[in-house]
Amino acid sequence: MKRALAALLCCVGLAQADGVRPSREFLSPELRAQQDDPSRHPGWLWVDDGEALWRAGERSCQSCHGDIAGMAGVAARYPAVAADGALLNLELRIERCREEHQGAPRFGYEGQALLSLTAAIAQRSRGLPMSVPVDGAAAPFLERGREFYATRQGQLNLSCGQCHDENAGRRLRGDVISNGLGTGYPAYRLEWNTLGSLHRRLRACSLGVRAEQLPLGGADYLALELFLAHRARGLPVETPGLRR
Ligand code: HEC
Ligand code: HEC
């Protein structure tokens, strides 16, 4: 299988990374410039929509939380364990508020409303260093995520790390393989022609190795998200990211 991977990978590209580097460093100069420029970055349309949703309605998010500026730093410490012991990423934390505090039905994973609110909240942490707590109640979830990351999967029998550690900086089907961090999500991906969640991206990687695509918001991808957030500790939030 090592040979199969070698055949997939082209021999040119950046030098192999030593240590985990921010996702933006793996972008082409053009994409990086576009990610940095809101006027040329369609992801900001979702941020604007999310900010409008934040203020909308009688029992608005704002009515409890105040101005969305107060959400600065929140995304840098998610996923997090809630009082009832469940691991929640930002999307699921918002869904909880929707049900428990707004008394309204969930928005639905990957729907425009949830993507917009998630992007608007996470954008408030743009540039801030990731720092998810991984001790106490979070520890078992971290271990589950770490194990998932290290497990060979799919018909190609590859672990996440075989691409995102051992081959970071090399090219695969037109992409430069990054360290596989979640710091840019939700991100606008040109191939999707829309904004998408981290779990949608994870499903694409599962498909890439011909493994089962797991449910959005499900326990495996959540644990993986926590592990990826921990891998990214100290690195900046990039949401909304811009991807090929
Ligand atoms: C009726 C009040 C209320 C409303 C309305 C509400 N929330 Fe919350 N929210 C809370 C409380 C209280 C918490 C703390 C966790 C808990 O006890 O549920 C919280 C926690 C959060 C957190 C996590 C903050 C952190 O520091 O970890 C986010 C993000 C959030 N809410 C987003 C939203 C969004 C988005 C909306 C609108 C869709 C919303 N909330 C609507 C009361 C509310
Ligand atoms: C066959 C190689 C391969 C494997 C195995 C693989 N990925 Fe990926 N992954 C890619 C490529 C190529 C991309 C797109 C370029 C990039 O951003 O790295 C990508 C993108 C990502 C991204 C988005 C990074 C960003 O900033 O946009 C994340 C997160 C990710 N992968 C996580 C994972 C995880 C977790 C696993 C294991 C379940 C995994 N990948 C398995 C090749 C792989």
Side-chain angles (χ1 to χ4, degrees):
M1 266 312 147
K2 251 217 147 104
R3 215 178 314 139
L5 179 61
L8 284 171
L9 294 160
C10 168
C11 42
V12 297
L14 305 171
Q16 175 145 3
D18 55 350
V20 176
R21 289 159 52 205
S23 294
R24 69 188 311 283
E25 290 187 14
F26 294 90
L27 299 178
S28 68
E30 168 53 25
L31 265 190
R32 199 182 310 143
Q34 216 180 329
Q35 173 167 293
D36 292 345
D37 179 358
S39 73
R40 294 196 299 136
H41 184 340
W44 288 88
L45 298 173
W46 278 261
V47 172
D48 290 345
D49 282 356
E51 294 194 350
L53 270 175
W54 179 264
R55 297 182 299 263
E58 237 172 71
R59 222 179 189 179
S60 66
C61 318
Q62 178 158 279
S63 70
C64 285
H65 291 289
D67 193 278
I68 195 168
M71 287 277 133
V74 171
R77 50 180 174 74
Y78 268 76
V81 179
D84 68 352
L87 182 67
L88 301 180
N89 62 4
L90 208 47
E91 284 90 340
L92 296 182
R93 175 63 258 178
I94 295 168
E95 292 285 53
R96 277 237 176 148
C97 275
R98 184 76 178 153
E99 285 188 303
E100 291 177 4
H101 296 305
Q102 289 189 312
R106 287 170 162 240
F107 289 116
Y109 220 100
E110 222 55 33
Q112 293 305 306
L114 188 59
L115 282 171
S116 300
L117 274 168
T118 307
I121 292 170
Q123 184 272 318
R124 294 289 167 165
S125 298
R126 216 182 200 219
L128 298 179
M130 289 297 294
S131 60
V132 280
V134 288
D135 49 1
F141 294 108
L142 180 74
E143 283 323 303
R144 179 172 176 173
R146 191 196 302 281
E147 204 181 304
F148 191 114
Y149 187 88
T151 304
R152 289 168 170 268
Q153 297 177 43
Q155 285 173 29
L156 296 192
N157 198 30
L158 292 171
S159 71
C160 312
Q162 283 179 281
C163 281
H164 290 295
D165 292 311
E166 293 169 24
N167 286 293
R170 303 183 74 182
R171 280 182 183 279
L172 178 59
R173 296 194 201 95
D175 278 318
V176 175
I177 303 177
S178 70
N179 283 135
L181 305 180
T183 46
Y185 288 79
Y188 188 92
R189 196 172 165 203
L190 299 171
E191 189 185 313
W192 292 335
N193 205 17
T194 184
L195 197 81
S197 69
L198 175 63
H199 291 195
R200 182 174 178 185
R201 173 66 244 190
L202 294 178
R203 281 171 63 88
C205 284
S206 294
L207 184 69
V209 296
R210 309 281 176 271
E212 188 190 350
Q213 292 183 288
L214 300 171
L216 300 165
D220 282 318
Y221 284 163
L222 276 175
L224 198 49
E225 180 173 354
L226 179 66
F227 177 67
L228 297 183
H230 180 59
R231 252 167 80 76
R233 60 193 178 280
L235 300 183
V237 174
E238 297 183 16
T239 313
L242 191 69
R243 300 291 181 263
R244 226 184 115 249

